[in-house]
Amino acid sequence: MISDAQLKRFGALPHEERFHRGVMYDSLQVGGIWLLAMYSPIDTRFLSYMSSTGEVRDVSSDDVPLAYPTAVLFLRGGSRVAILKGHRSAPGPDDLHAFLERWMEPATPDSKWIVNQLLRTDQLRRIREAKAVTEVTVTAAADDDLLSEHHRDTNPLMSDIARTVRGEKFPHGAVTVGVKLDAKYSPDESEALRKTAEQELSRGTIRPEGGSVTLIGSDGREELMRIVRDHMTIKVAVAGRDPDQVSFTNLAEGMVSAVEEIESRVEAAGRLDVEPPAD
């Protein structure tokens, strides 16, 4: 996908040329491995500074600008990445996609970049084999830009399900939206919901920020299936560090030290070979 040489060359670009859509991109070498670094400046308006002695004052323009950081590790095989966010508001998959589109050429002229979450193959199988699906919930990222044009269609899954099952539309800007069938739902409604969840999961419409499906198995037992990164995340130990003083570089070092575990987990997860969503 992206080589160390490409990241090194990109990091050598002038600082002002590495900004895009409010995010600054950079390359970072940790433990002999090159990472992509993404930084989202923090809006310091209306913030206060509090020292360890209890002094509190307004944050002024003289204070050092801060940013939420994210590190992207390109894994073996060329098409998979691991993302480490230093904060829940740090740049994410959409910002990685923006970086690839702006600065990295696809493998062939008629190709385009698509960034989707990697799903365990058993997640889609469980939906297909379920006796019924009665509830689907998706949580979108909540940020200050949620109502902008960029996020206007942040929940296409919910719109599709609503049209399929009830003909309702959910308002834009909802942080968590979902469809839950009534207790007396019909088999047709349940099947429509199951098919829509299956299709949208396959297409990658379900966002990596979160989501869940309530399944009813063949034995009639309900089970909540989380369509999130739960099974693809790992815990990284930052040995010998004071938790109050740990830096983003320390976290990136921990991710690099666990690269073999990350890659083995990814390989074990399998792959969904599905067509990307139509434009």
Side-chain angles (χ1 to χ4, degrees):
M1 188 184 199
I2 304 299
S3 67
D4 286 354
Q6 287 175 294
L7 291 175
K8 185 177 180 180
R9 285 195 300 269
F10 175 77
L13 292 175
H15 164 265
E16 61 274 8
E17 294 183 18
R18 290 185 275 110
F19 272 93
H20 182 49
R21 280 177 32 180
V23 175
M24 192 195 82
Y25 298 87
D26 198 2
S27 58
L28 178 69
Q29 189 178 33
V30 176
I33 295 179
W34 284 91
L35 310 175
L36 172 67
M38 306 187 296
Y39 301 95
S40 176
I42 298 175
D43 186 353
T44 59
R45 292 176 298 177
F46 312 115
L47 292 184
S48 297
Y49 168 82
M50 184 174 64
S51 71
S52 58
T53 61
E55 174 195 1
V56 178
R57 61 177 174 82
D58 290 339
V59 173
S60 69
S61 58
D62 296 330
D63 290 307
V64 177
L66 301 175
Y68 293 127
T70 296
V72 179
L73 172 63
F74 295 92
L75 305 176
R76 291 179 303 183
S79 63
R80 296 168 179 174
V81 300
I83 295 180
L84 171 66
K85 299 177 67 170
H87 188 275
R88 64 188 304 175
S89 298
D94 288 345
D95 302 291
L96 170 59
H97 185 256
F99 164 80
L100 295 171
E101 282 198 320
R102 183 172 179 85
W103 285 289
M104 299 292 156
E105 291 291 334
T108 59
D110 58 343
S111 299
K112 64 179 181 179
W113 293 108
I114 296 175
V115 178
N116 281 330
Q117 70 273 26
L118 180 66
L119 301 169
R120 286 163 52 112
T121 53
D122 62 343
Q123 292 180 315
L124 186 60
R125 175 182 56 79
R126 288 172 63 191
I127 287 184
R128 287 172 174 165
E129 295 178 353
K131 179 181 178 181
V133 173
T134 62
E135 181 177 355
V136 175
T137 301
V138 169
T139 302
D143 56 36
D144 294 337
D145 200 33
L146 193 61
L147 295 178
S148 71
E149 182 178 355
H150 176 63
H151 287 286
R152 194 159 294 161
D153 294 320
T154 187
N155 285 302
L157 167 67
M158 290 298 100
S159 297
D160 288 349
I161 290 179
R163 285 194 296 269
T164 302
V165 179
R166 291 183 175 178
E168 299 174 358
K169 284 194 175 182
F170 291 88
H172 292 299
V175 176
T176 299
V177 293
V179 170
K180 182 176 182 179
L181 297 181
D182 297 330
K184 296 181 180 179
Y185 64 88
S186 71
D188 288 343
E189 285 181 317
S190 176
E191 179 64 8
L193 191 59
R194 188 197 66 76
K195 286 184 177 180
T196 305
E198 174 188 333
Q199 293 169 359
E200 296 303 315
L201 177 60
S202 299
R203 293 173 59 210
T205 306
I206 295 179
R207 305 297 296 166
E209 285 80 11
S212 64
V213 176
T214 297
L215 306 175
I216 300 180
S218 57
D219 58 356
R221 181 176 61 88
E222 290 194 17
E223 181 178 1
L224 181 68
M225 185 181 80
R226 296 289 299 170
I227 310 174
V228 289
R229 300 164 294 182
D230 292 350
H231 297 290
M232 298 303 299
T233 58
I234 67 169
K235 291 183 178 180
V236 176
V238 185
R241 301 283 183 177
D242 183 342
D244 293 333
Q245 297 180 0
V246 67
S247 69
F248 179 68
T249 301
N250 299 147
L251 294 179
E253 291 171 346
M255 181 170 71
V256 168
S257 69
V259 64
E260 292 185 3
E261 179 184 355
I262 295 172
E263 290 180 335
S264 64
R265 293 276 297 274
V266 168
E267 290 300 321
R271 178 177 179 178
L272 287 180
D273 291 312
V274 295
E275 293 296 321
D279 291 335

